[in-house]
Amino acid sequence: MNGYLQIGYTQTALAGLLIVANLVLSAALRLGLGRRLVIAALRMSVQLLLIGLVLKWVFALENPLPVLAMAAAMTAIAGVAAVNRTQRRFAGVYWGSLVSVSGAAFFVTGLALLGIVRVDPWFDPQYLIPLLGMVLGNTLNGISLALDRFVESLVQRRDAVEATLALGGTRWEAAHDHIRDAMRVGLIPMINSMMVIGIVSLPGMMTGQILAGAEPTDAVRYQIVIMFMIASAAALGAFGIVFFTYHRLFDDRHRLRLDRVRKVVA
Amino acid sequence: MLSATGLGRCINDAWIWRGVDVQLMAGQNLAIVGPTGAGKSLLLRCLAGLDSADEGRIAIDDKPLDEWQMPVYRARVVYLHQRPALWEGTVEENLRAVFHLAAHRSKGYDRSVAIRRLEAFDRDGSFLEKNAVDLSGGEAQIVALTRALSVEPSVLLLDEPSASMDATATEQAEELVARWVAEAPGRASMWTSHDAAQVERVADHTLTLDSSQATIS
């Protein structure tokens, strides 16, 4: 059962007609979604077609430099996107996010490429790019959820945090509950998806491999490896950003520095 | 005991207050008075090391603030927020949790002492079982004050400590603090209050904060 049925551009366009169902619904119920739906559908198609061309080009080069450049660009975008989804910012938060995302994603992906999947050469984009992409997407989620929750919780419970400090608590004692809470929230999507995977949802990568003709048992083992990578990177990334934020928002004189935080309208 | 000289605080290029001198001696009850927005809370927060001053120096027992480890300093100089901030849980859990902080671990929670302090407010042991979120503003201030006293500080910085209390509880709070200061050597309190009559009752000294200069009397 090797190989797969190829889809041409005409067939792809045919699938685009499916979106007409949404447009009809939107018009009939006056949801006012038509314009945004068309824009979203167009963006999705253009972005994917472009990345297809870029990947094809990078795959053909067999040179680590363009692969690494692409990995760096993906990581940078993930780092920025993680912060942009949050409502409160402080100076240096983008750097903190970049360091957390890249630290977690490079460490985990590197370990998997060299130690587990044992790809040769190590930069083979057929493995590096999709693995890194999946890890980045989930790390981004973990980071933005944990970051948002941590800062929000400090702002909302500011009085209680300061009460701990005012009674002689250290900054760690004052922040501890909030750090734990932020980590828990950051890891919720990860834990949820591991709980129901294979029962409620069949993950995209696994289905993709099966469609491409891989043995289901092979595809499943790949998926398990991926899930472990994702879980570990999301946890590392979330911890990285929370720890960084903790050091920015509590100074070494054990003061809560919410004066460094400003709210942005997302 | 607690002294501050030439304190100034500048926000957005404007001095909130400047050249403030505070001398708080053991046994004293000092009130800070001034119009709304004069920065009374800010001054207390600076003295507690929760906010920083832009100039001047603060010292306790002649040891400058910079040389103290902040948790140790704040275990001695306890600031009570204007809006009482209790932790999640019951009243008793609030009173007990403060002893989980490293700074107070050597001391222990004593239920009978807590009950005795609450009795000063006509509250008995059943009050300990109440959930912090169900308390009225005045009751929360009672718990916050009791919690602050339980860690045996040297200086209490009280920021409108009875703003949400009724007349009876206010009087009881004033009495409790006055008794606490007089009870042992080396204790003092500092108050802010919008109520001139209260200042009259509790303070033996006052410090007037008035647009960028302060006078002590």
Side-chain angles (χ1 to χ4, degrees):
Chain A
M1 47 184 281
N2 267 330
Y4 55 95
L5 300 172
Q6 286 205 330
I7 300 177
Y9 286 107
T10 334
Q11 287 151 296
T12 312
L14 211 57
L17 290 177
L18 291 171
I19 209 87
V20 171
N22 304 39
L23 292 176
V24 170
L25 264 178
S26 170
L29 300 177
R30 296 174 197 224
L31 300 178
L33 289 174
R35 211 178 110 85
R36 287 172 62 193
L37 213 68
V38 170
I39 291 178
L42 280 176
R43 269 193 66 160
M44 183 271 289
S45 310
V46 172
Q47 285 166 358
L48 287 181
L49 289 171
L50 279 178
I51 200 65
L53 293 176
V54 172
L55 284 176
K56 190 174 180 186
W57 176 68
V58 171
F59 278 33
L61 288 176
E62 292 181 10
N63 179 335
L65 279 182
V67 178
L68 285 180
M70 187 158 176
M74 287 161 67
T75 309
I77 292 168
V80 171
V83 176
N84 282 347
R85 289 193 196 172
T86 62
Q87 287 213 340
R88 298 179 197 270
R89 313 275 163 79
F90 51 90
V93 65
Y94 282 99
W95 284 113
S97 172
L98 277 177
V99 171
S100 305
V101 169
S102 53
F106 290 168
F107 175 72
V108 169
T109 310
L111 221 60
L113 284 176
L114 299 175
I116 299 168
V117 187
R118 301 207 186 121
V119 181
D120 184 40
W122 61 269
F123 61 86
D124 187 347
Q126 185 192 343
Y127 293 90
L128 194 152
I129 299 290
L131 290 182
L132 181 69
M134 280 184 284
V135 165
L136 282 177
N138 289 276
T139 310
L140 181 164
N141 259 332
I143 285 184
S144 69
L145 287 172
L147 173 64
D148 194 59
R149 179 56 169 248
F150 187 47
V151 179
E152 196 61 32
S153 146
L154 291 179
V155 170
Q156 298 296 334
R157 304 275 299 146
R158 166 194 196 138
D159 291 351
V161 173
E162 281 216 318
T164 307
L165 296 172
L167 286 163
T170 62
R171 55 179 171 165
W172 180 255
E173 287 169 326
H176 185 249
D177 282 354
H178 304 269
I179 289 177
R180 211 175 45 190
D181 193 42
M183 287 300 294
R184 185 182 63 77
V185 169
L187 295 186
I188 282 177
M190 210 44 257
I191 291 171
N192 283 351
S193 73
M194 287 205 283
M195 287 288 185
V196 300
I197 198 166
I199 305 172
V200 180
S201 66
L202 286 182
M205 188 208 68
M206 196 178 96
T207 30
Q209 279 188 311
I210 293 175
L211 277 176
E215 282 284 346
T217 45
D218 285 345
V220 162
R221 277 197 302 276
Y222 251 95
Q223 189 62 43
I224 291 174
V225 169
I226 291 290
M227 291 311 289
F228 283 137
M229 289 170 67
I230 285 173
S232 123
L236 287 175
F239 183 73
I241 195 68
V242 168
F243 195 67
F244 174 82
T245 307
Y246 164 73
H247 278 281
R248 289 291 302 159
L249 299 189
F250 289 88
D251 64 18
D252 54 7
R253 300 297 289 163
H254 301 269
R255 284 184 299 232
L256 177 61
R257 299 300 301 271
L258 289 183
D259 55 315
R260 292 176 176 166
V261 177
R262 65 200 159 76
K263 187 160 186 164
V264 290
V265 183
Chain B
M1 190 158 62
L2 178 66
S3 75
T5 42
L7 278 193
R9 178 61 194 259
C10 178
I11 295 177
N12 298 334
D13 296 329
W15 291 95
I16 306 292
W17 28 256
R18 204 173 184 185
V20 175
D21 295 319
V22 181
Q23 287 295 337
L24 185 67
M25 302 298 184
Q28 280 186 348
N29 298 287
L30 175 67
I32 302 172
V33 294
T36 306
K40 301 189 289 289
S41 297
L42 195 58
L43 178 59
L44 287 191
R45 289 175 57 85
C46 283
L47 292 174
L50 290 168
D51 256 308
S52 54
D54 294 298
E55 56 179 35
R57 58 186 292 278
I58 299 171
I60 187 161
D61 295 340
D62 295 324
K63 184 173 164 185
L65 185 60
D66 302 340
E67 291 175 17
W68 285 88
Q69 283 194 306
M70 283 322 290
V72 178
Y73 175 86
R74 292 200 195 111
R76 287 198 61 187
V77 181
V78 167
Y79 169 76
L80 214 60
H81 286 80
Q82 204 172 97
R83 281 166 304 178
L86 302 181
W87 300 311
E88 279 175 39
T90 64
V91 170
E92 181 156 41
E93 279 162 356
N94 265 276
L95 297 177
R96 192 191 292 275
V98 72
F99 293 103
H100 297 162
L101 300 177
H104 304 299
R105 213 164 279 159
S106 56
K107 307 162 214 161
Y109 171 66
D110 186 338
R111 192 165 202 221
S112 59
V113 173
I115 291 180
R116 189 148 39 81
R117 290 246 162 79
L118 290 174
E119 275 167 356
F121 293 98
D122 302 326
R123 301 285 195 292
D124 56 19
S126 68
F127 186 66
L128 289 174
E129 311 303 325
K130 278 201 166 189
N131 198 310
V133 292
D134 298 329
L135 300 179
S136 71
E139 286 177 318
Q141 286 197 310
I142 290 174
V143 177
L145 179 60
T146 312
R147 184 175 66 182
L149 288 174
S150 73
V151 302
E152 297 169 30
S154 305
V155 178
L156 261 188
L157 304 174
L158 302 164
D159 196 352
E160 303 267 4
S162 61
S164 317
M165 294 182 191
D166 59 27
T168 323
T170 301
E171 202 177 298
Q172 290 161 335
E174 290 169 2
E175 207 175 299
L176 181 64
V177 174
R179 192 147 28 88
W180 173 81
V181 170
E183 218 165 53
R187 291 177 176 175
S189 75
M190 244 172 117
W191 296 65
T192 67
S193 174
H194 62 275
D195 179 1
Q198 180 172 52
V199 170
E200 191 74 19
R201 286 195 302 272
V202 299
D204 37 49
H205 295 74
T206 60
L207 185 152
T208 307
L209 270 188
D210 185 11
S211 56
S212 80
Q213 49 187 325
T215 49
I216 196 159
S217 62

